[in-house]
Amino acid sequence: MAGDPTLSRRREEIRQRGIQTAALIAILVVALRYLPLTSRFFVFPLIENFAYDLAYEYAPAQPPEDIVIVAIDDISVLPAHQGRFPWSRRTHAELLQRLAGARAVAFDVIFAEPDLNDPEGDRLFVDAVADAGNVVLAAYRAVKMEYSSSREPVVWGWAAPGPPLSLGGIQVEGLVTPFPELAEAAAAIGYVDIVPDADGVHRRVEPLRRASNHRVYPHISTATAMVATGASPEQAMSGIPDGAVEVGGPRCPLDPEGAMLIDYCGPTGTIDRVGAWEVLEGLVDPSRFRDRIVFVGATAAGLYDMRAAPYRSTGREFFGVETNANIVNSLLHTGARVDATGSLAWALFALVLGLAVGWVAWSGGETLGPLLGALILVAVALPSFFVAFTFLRSVIPYGAILLAGAIPLLVAIPQRLGRDKRMVRRQFSAYVSPDVLRQLTDEPELVAQGVKR
C-alpha cells in the first residue's frame, strides 16, 4: 500500500487552518480586553477580580507597627460606657487629649454642624483640635445639598499648579466639610468617599481629586499621611504628571483615571485596634499612641460604616476606618502595586502566549500537541498573575492572558484528538476489510508512510 498523498495534504490543510483559527482567537481575545468598549466585558473583570482577591487571600498579613485604630465599637456605645452615638463634642475633646503624643490623628467621623445644644462642648473640641495641631477631619458627599445655603463655605484643598492635572474629578459643591470653626482648627481636611469596583469591592482609591474650580482635594488618608510626614501639597502633586503620588513614603503609581490600588495588609482586624471606651476610661497606656498614626472611626454594627475588601473568607467584611488606615499604610510603607492591566507589554505577552499554545496544540502529535499546549497554559499562563503580583508588585490583564491561551486550546482538543483515525475511517471504510480498517485506525501513520502487506 503506497503512501496516500491526499491524506497527507488533507492533514496539513487542517493543521494550517487550526493554527490560523487559534491565532485569530488569540488576537480577538487580546483586542477585546484592550478596546475601551469591551475591556470591562463581564468575563474579563470576573477573572481578574477573582485572581486579585485570591492573591490577597493567601498573602501573609503584615500589620503596620505605627498605625492604630481607636474604634467606636459595640461596647463603646453601650449605656454603661459612652452611650448612643453620636457623642457629645466634649467626649471627642477628651478622647483627643488622651491621644496626645500621636504623630497624626484622623477622625473618620462627620462633624458637619455645630452642636446647638452644647456650644461649650463645641468650643472645647475646637480648642483641643487646635492645640493638638495634627488632627485631620473628614468631608463627605451629601446626598442632598442640605448644607449649601445654611452656612458659610469652608475653603480647603490646594490651588493646582500649571495645566490641569490628570486626576479624577470631584464636585466640590457637593462636599460637606466640618463646621467652619472646627475646619479652621484642623491641620487638614480630606474627603472620605471611595468608589468601589463594579462588584462592590473597594480595590482602589483616588488619593487626590481635581475640581472644576482648579483646586486639588486630598482623600482623608492622603491628608493624614501628609500631616504625619510633613509633606507639602507641592510634593504631593509633583508626581501627578508622571502618573504617581508621593507623600513622604514610596512612590505610588496611579492608573489613567488617577486612582491607585490599595495594598491591603491583611483581613479585618489586622491593624492594631483598641476600643474608644477603653481609651476614654483610662484603660490604655498613653504610650500605645506615642508617635503613631491614629484613626478614630466606627466599627459598631449599627453605624453601618462598612466597605467590602478582597477577603472572601471573611465575607468581605471590612470597616471604613480600616480601609482608610490601609491606604495610609500603602502611601507611607508598602507603596501601591502597579496597575499594568492597560500595559502594551502585557498585551504582547498575552498574544504571544496564545499564539504559542495554539501553534503547539496543532503542530505536535494529535495527543502530544494538545498536551504540550495545556502544559504551557498551566505552567506559564495560570501562575502569571500571582508571579507578577508577588515579585513584580503588578496587577496584570489576567483575563486576556488566560483566555488567549485557553480558548484556542479548548477549540483544538476535540478536533485534534482522534482526528487521524476519523480521516482514515472516512477514506478507507469502503475499500478494506474491517480488520484492515481497524489496524489502519490504530496506526494511521501507516497510511502516510506507505506499507505493503
Side-chain angles (χ1 to χ4, degrees), residues 364-395:
E366 64 173 312
T367 301
L368 185 60
L371 187 61
L372 290 176
L375 184 62
I376 294 174
L377 194 67
V378 171
V380 181
L382 200 60
S384 61
F385 182 92
F386 306 98
V387 171
F389 184 91
T390 303
F391 298 104
L392 303 180
R393 292 189 55 79
S394 296
V395 175

Side-chain angles (χ1 to χ4, degrees), residues 189-359:
I189 299 172
Y191 58 86
V192 295
D193 307 272
I194 301 179
V195 179
D197 288 347
D199 60 354
V201 178
H202 296 83
R203 298 184 181 89
R204 62 195 74 228
V205 63
E206 293 171 296
L208 300 170
R209 286 183 181 175
R210 173 182 46 81
S212 57
N213 61 1
H214 305 296
R215 294 181 71 82
V216 175
Y217 295 87
H219 187 266
I220 188 172
S221 303
T222 310
T224 303
M226 293 174 65
V227 169
T229 61
S232 66
E234 291 74 21
Q235 180 180 348
M237 294 185 290
S238 62
I240 300 300
D242 297 324
V245 65
E246 188 173 347
V247 289
R251 185 177 184 272
C252 295
L254 305 176
D255 65 19
E257 285 73 42
M260 76 175 208
L261 292 165
I262 303 170
D263 190 23
Y264 285 93
C265 64
T268 183
T270 296
I271 295 178
D272 185 21
R273 190 191 304 176
V274 59
W277 68 276
E278 297 176 272
V279 180
L280 287 165
E281 294 174 21
L283 303 178
V284 182
D285 190 331
S287 64
R288 187 167 179 176
F289 308 111
R290 188 170 299 123
D291 203 32
R292 301 180 80 184
I293 298 169
V294 181
F295 269 90
V296 180
T299 63
L303 300 182
Y304 305 109
D305 187 13
M306 303 290 294
R307 289 199 181 114
Y311 297 96
R312 296 172 183 268
S313 61
T314 58
R316 300 195 184 281
E317 178 181 303
F318 218 74
F319 298 107
V321 66
E322 287 184 300
T323 304
N324 294 333
N326 272 273
I327 298 169
V328 167
N329 187 49
S330 303
L331 289 167
L332 295 184
H333 302 311
T334 64
R337 282 179 163 80
V338 177
D339 185 352
T341 54
S343 164
L344 292 179
W346 284 105
L348 183 62
F349 175 79
L351 182 59
V352 170
L353 190 64
L355 295 175
V357 170
W359 185 86

Side-chain angles (χ1 to χ4, degrees), residues 401-446:
I401 293 169
L402 209 57
L403 295 179
I407 296 177
L409 182 63
L410 292 175
V411 170
I413 286 174
Q415 297 189 49
R416 290 242 54 204
L417 297 182
R419 181 201 64 182
D420 289 350
K421 294 181 180 181
R422 291 194 298 270
M423 290 179 61
V424 169
R425 188 176 293 110
R426 283 197 302 268
Q427 186 160 353
F428 290 96
S429 60
Y431 304 106
V432 299
S433 68
D435 290 339
V436 174
L437 181 62
R438 188 178 304 111
Q439 184 177 7
L440 292 177
T441 53
D442 289 342
E443 302 177 80
E445 64 274 7
L446 296 177

